[in-house]
Amino acid sequence: MDLTNNTFIFDSETEGLQYLKHLAGGKSGKTMGWYNGKDEPLDINYMFVDPATLKLGWTLWTKQQSETIWLSDPNDKVPAPTAEHKQSFSIWVYPKYVKDSQNFDHGSMLWQRDSKGEFFGFQEMMRQIAQELLNPEYATLLPVFEVKDSVAIWEGSSAKPVFEFKGFKPRPEGFVIPDLPQESGAVISPNNSPAASDSTIVDDEIPF
């Protein structure tokens, strides 16, 4: 399947692929929070993130179709092709819900969006780990974030998800990225191998 024609397709259109999105609620009639691509609400309070899968780009919407120009290097400073293009990001995550005796995994999900609120939340998430990712000791581990209450912005027309970096953990065995066609301009080298279970570089505040 060629994903370049619509980079924001729903779960039902791609077998084995789950999308993650954060909605502001408001006019949509939905409660502010996390949803999958089928608009089913998700309880999430922790999230593994795979920085190796990070992509940035510019998306242009035409009616119900979208076309995204993904940068070959997310560090590149490339201006918007037109005033109608929106900043976009894409990253694979592994959301969880952990409370008391509950410990539920939502599986591998693609958080690939162009809403301003989500983009701001994503930026703040990545700023928290920018320096830590330079440390070679963490090369085989993944950052874990606590998912906090969201913040409504622009009079509720958008919402910014809020994250707090908690530390590094070995990759969960279930965090496997599907083998999908690559979008034009994308360079992804995900590490699907779980880190050694005896790794000591973890944060004791993470309850799993």
Side-chain angles (χ1 to χ4, degrees), residues 45-116:
N45 59 0
Y46 285 92
M47 188 180 293
F48 283 86
V49 174
D50 188 345
T53 66
L54 166 64
K55 294 187 297 180
L56 297 176
W58 295 97
T59 296
L60 177 65
W61 282 91
T62 305
K63 296 183 179 180
Q64 296 302 314
Q65 294 295 311
S66 68
E67 181 179 358
T68 301
I69 301 171
W70 296 111
L71 308 182
S72 58
D73 185 342
N75 293 311
D76 289 344
K77 304 295 184 182
V78 179
T82 71
E84 288 74 32
H85 278 78
K86 301 172 65 176
Q87 283 185 300
S88 306
F89 69 92
S90 177
I91 195 165
W92 281 92
V93 298
Y94 192 77
K96 294 175 64 71
Y97 181 76
V98 181
K99 184 177 181 180
D100 300 326
S101 62
Q102 301 181 73
N103 189 336
F104 181 78
D105 301 330
H106 290 288
S108 305
M109 303 190 77
L110 181 59
W111 187 24
Q112 182 167 284
R113 300 285 286 166
D114 62 2
S115 76
K116 289 185 177 180

